[in-house]
Amino acid sequence: MKISFLKDVTVMFLVTAVMLAASCKKESVDNNNTTSTNTGGTKTTGTTTDTTGTLIGSATTAADFPNIGFAVTYGTMSTNAAYVGVVKREANYVTFGNELKYGSIVQNDGTFNYTTADALYAICANNGLSVLGHNLCWYSQQNATYLNGLITALNKQTGTPTNLMQYGDFEAGTGSNFTGWTNIVGGTAVGSFSAVTDDNDGGSRAMQATVTTPGANAYDMQSIGTAFTVTPNKAYKVTVSIKSAAAGTVRLVMQNTVYQQDDLTTTPGWATYTWNLTITEASPILRFNFPAAGVYVIDNVSVTDPNSGTVIKPTPAQVATVIDTALHKFINTTVTRYKGKIKAWDVVNEPMADGTGALRDTNNYTIPAANINNQFLWSEYLGRNFGLKAFQYAKAADPNALLFINEYNLEYSYKLDSLIAYTQELIGKGAKIDGIGTQMHINLQTSQASIDNELIKLAQTGLLVRISELDIALNTSKSSSFVPTAAMLTAQAALYKYVVQSYLKNVPKAQRFGITIWGLTDNESWINTPTAPDAPLLFNQNLTKKPAYYSFLLGLKGM
């Protein structure tokens, strides 16, 4: 039966103070008036009279509601003591917005950096706040540059890549002149170029640069090659053999209209040096600059496309192994690091595709070009068992931690049913899954029936049920000039209260993990943007309680 819940509630009081949102003007409301709104087709009226208490205090004492949380970030928690105070007063749990995600931890070279995550954890722990780890396996906010690099590194190349650099052997020319090269000694530099027979490529000539006095500029003494053709914004490898009479420096410069450089520290005797770079223009020119005194013999210069020639790609099994190893390493390292500290984790996040509810993969989702460096579909390489592996690795790292699967748009049956089916599939294969998180990013058009339906069905799994990222958007049209009205804020407050009431009604006490609001203040919400302002949370930017706060509070009190 649908609950009609505002027959004794309205949330319009505190006059202008409670109506201020992050990007809206003040609205003046008479707190003695009875208000009427329509939320999901149900008409509700009433007045607000009980405003005492805090969210976590009211929940634990009146409704046996175990956890109230907010999403937080290091930037705000480390700089705003008043903000921390409100979080500490109102909640007992927090979820990190970004700091524990793969893309925030894993660097381009594969090393892990927990500096920010550790610092945020310390702030939370010092303020008595438990942390829910978010998240261990997702398709977004990944370091796809590193992960895709692991796959590329499996490629095996046969044949010799084509040398794009003409006259790199210095064999052509006569005397101290070298075909394809222009040698300059200018500015304040003193030195000379000459041909020597001591080469490193089996030929008869190499170029020797004798730098008696370096110039004020590295380019005062330089050797300029001939332009060659490449594909812009592609990776290339420059190699050069250099024999240095003593320790010295040779500067490699790739320049036509764009300047790129790499300083080589040379050692006595022949050595081969490599410079890997992404060349940004179509017709670059390689130059040697000599900023340090010494005698340098240059030979065997090449510029190659590392992927040219015949490339033998790895088998799917080989790719799966290296990606599986990367997933295991991240989950094991992260969960082990916080073992006994972080006692609950979002292990698999947003596994189902929009539209069909099928498992998200390349058949139903294409990574946008703008996101190729930060989105990665684990399912493309590990199949349906990517989720199983993630839960297995998390359990092995901390058997006592609570492990959740987390998804959005469960207000839609196609995705709700698919998520439940996938969860049951993983459990059937041996995964330890303790609960399901429904993000519940909703708006004023979200129906009460859909909220009831998802909570009823989630409860029927017998697992813990957690509302994990609750917010209620107002500006669904994404208008750049949006300003919330009093009626919108009232409707928002009513819907916040309904969510709590439905949770308490439809989820048995033993299965309630709790509710997390996805942010504390409107101005920090991911929904609130410069081009589409919004006010989806419980507090405005001044940490002032909004009508939504008071209705949420009443819902926790069972009123």
Side-chain angles (χ1 to χ4, degrees):
M1 180 177 71
K2 186 180 295 184
I3 299 174
S4 180
F5 63 96
L6 279 187
K7 292 185 178 179
D8 62 345
V9 179
T10 184
V11 289
M12 304 310 299
F13 73 106
L14 292 188
V15 197
T16 60
V18 296
M19 305 309 299
L20 181 61
S23 39
C24 64
K25 66 182 181 181
K26 295 181 179 179
E27 299 284 350
S28 179
V29 180
D30 182 354
N31 69 329
N32 293 317
N33 287 346
T34 297
T35 60
S36 175
T37 187
N38 189 297
T39 305
T42 300
K43 187 174 182 181
T44 57
T45 60
T47 58
T48 299
T49 58
D50 186 348
T51 61
T52 60
T54 60
L55 301 183
I56 187 59
S58 299
T60 55
T61 58
D64 195 16
F65 205 85
N67 299 304
I68 295 292
F70 292 102
V72 299
T73 60
Y74 175 74
T76 308
M77 291 288 283
S78 63
T79 59
N80 191 332
Y83 182 101
V84 175
V86 173
V87 175
K88 180 179 179 180
R89 181 190 74 206
E90 300 290 341
N92 66 325
Y93 246 93
V94 294
T95 301
F96 293 180
N98 298 298
E99 288 77 4
L100 282 169
K101 292 173 180 173
Y102 194 97
S104 298
I105 299 296
V106 181
Q107 309 302 295
N108 286 343
D109 62 358
T111 59
F112 292 1
N113 185 347
Y114 292 95
T115 302
T116 304
D118 285 350
L120 181 54
Y121 178 84
I123 293 171
C124 296
N126 290 338
N127 284 278
L129 295 165
S130 297
V131 174
L132 191 140
H134 179 78
N135 57 65
L136 298 175
C137 184
W138 191 23
Y139 75 94
S140 190
Q141 288 185 253
Q142 307 297 287
N143 188 332
T145 299
Y146 169 68
L147 291 169
N148 288 321
L150 293 177
I151 299 171
T152 302
L154 296 174
N155 291 338
K156 292 183 179 180
Q157 185 176 6
T158 61
T160 302
T162 301
N163 185 3
L164 305 176
M165 187 73 199
Q166 285 186 297
Y167 310 114
D169 56 6
F170 298 99
E171 297 297 326
T174 57
S176 59
N177 294 315
F178 301 91
T179 301
W181 294 88
T182 300
N183 295 328
I184 298 173
V185 180
T188 59
V190 177
S192 62
F193 290 92
S194 60
V196 294
T197 57
D198 181 11
D199 72 356
N200 197 47
D201 61 6
S204 60
R205 280 166 50 95
M207 181 179 72
Q208 177 172 290
T210 302
V211 186
T212 305
T213 303
N217 304 298
Y219 55 77
D220 284 353
M221 184 165 176
Q222 66 173 315
S223 182
I224 307 171
T226 302
F228 53 95
T229 301
V230 298
T231 302
N233 300 313
K234 188 175 180 180
Y236 289 88
K237 180 170 73 173
V238 178
T239 58
V240 56
S241 297
I242 302 177
K243 180 181 180 181
S244 178
T249 301
V250 174
R251 175 170 294 173
L252 297 183
V253 175
M254 193 69 70
Q255 181 184 22
N256 192 331
T257 59
V258 178
Y259 183 91
Q260 298 172 279
Q261 76 171 51
D262 186 44
D263 285 349
L264 307 178
T265 299
T266 62
T267 56
W270 282 109
T272 299
Y273 302 88
T274 300
W275 180 22
N276 295 302
L277 77 161
T278 298
I279 300 178
T280 59
E281 52 188 342
S283 299
I285 299 172
L286 180 64
R287 306 161 188 254
F288 292 93
N289 291 351
F290 300 93
V295 177
Y296 306 92
V297 181
I298 312 295
D299 200 12
N300 198 24
V301 182
S302 70
V303 179
T304 59
D305 175 357
N307 295 316
S308 62
T310 301
V311 177
I312 302 175
K313 292 187 177 296
T315 65
Q318 290 172 321
V319 174
T321 297
V322 74
I323 295 305
D324 185 19
T325 300
L327 180 63
H328 176 261
K329 182 179 179 181
F330 174 69
I331 293 177
N332 180 66
T333 305
T334 303
V335 176
T336 300
R337 185 182 190 88
Y338 296 103
K339 184 176 182 180
K341 297 179 179 179
I342 295 179
K343 300 178 181 180
W345 290 91
D346 282 330
V347 178
V348 173
N349 195 51
E350 301 177 6
M352 316 313 292
D354 292 319
T356 64
L359 192 70
R360 190 189 301 269
D361 58 23
T362 53
N363 294 318
N364 52 50
Y365 184 79
T366 300
I367 295 175
N371 295 328
I372 57 173
N373 293 324
N374 56 51
Q375 290 191 2
F376 186 85
L377 292 170
W378 298 91
S379 63
E380 180 179 353
Y381 309 101
L382 302 179
R384 296 188 66 83
N385 281 342
F386 88 93
L388 175 63
K389 290 174 178 292
F391 277 103
Q392 288 175 330
Y393 299 151
K395 176 187 176 182
D398 187 353
N400 296 320
L402 293 175
L403 307 181
F404 286 85
I405 191 168
N406 192 46
E407 186 58 273
Y408 68 96
N409 275 359
L410 298 187
E411 297 75 44
Y412 300 94
S413 291
Y414 77 88
K415 204 168 194 183
L416 173 65
D417 294 342
S418 296
L419 188 278
I420 291 174
Y422 185 59
T423 301
Q424 292 171 336
E425 173 187 331
L426 297 182
I427 292 174
K429 292 178 178 178
K432 175 186 182 289
I433 302 179
D434 298 294
I436 299 177
T438 172
Q439 294 181 14
M440 209 170 282
H441 296 295
I442 57 178
N443 57 62
L444 297 185
Q445 283 70 52
T446 302
S447 73
Q448 295 171 352
S450 68
I451 294 170
D452 290 341
N453 180 62
E454 68 176 298
L455 293 174
I456 290 170
K457 284 191 173 182
L458 291 176
Q460 287 172 349
T461 66
L463 301 174
L464 292 173
V465 177
R466 167 172 153 256
I467 297 177
S468 57
E469 302 181 19
L470 178 62
D471 48 32
I472 301 178
L474 301 178
N475 184 15
T476 54
S477 65
K478 301 299 181 183
S479 169
S480 60
S481 59
F482 175 78
V483 176
T485 64
M488 287 180 178
L489 293 171
T490 301
Q492 180 188 60
L495 191 52
Y496 262 114
K497 183 181 178 188
Y498 191 85
V499 168
V500 178
Q501 290 180 317
S502 182
Y503 185 65
L504 293 173
K505 175 185 177 183
N506 295 308
V507 179
K509 178 180 174 181
Q511 290 177 253
R512 301 177 201 145
F513 181 85
I515 298 179
T516 293
I517 310 298
W518 204 242
L520 184 70
T521 57
D522 285 334
N523 58 297
E524 68 175 346
S525 170
W526 69 287
I527 297 174
N528 181 22
T529 67
T531 56
D534 214 316
L537 302 177
L538 303 184
F539 293 81
N540 68 21
Q541 63 187 0
N542 298 319
L543 296 173
T544 301
K545 299 171 183 176
K546 293 167 53 186
Y549 172 91
Y550 295 106
S551 279
F552 192 86
L553 177 64
L554 291 175
L556 295 175
K557 291 183 177 183
M559 299 175 65

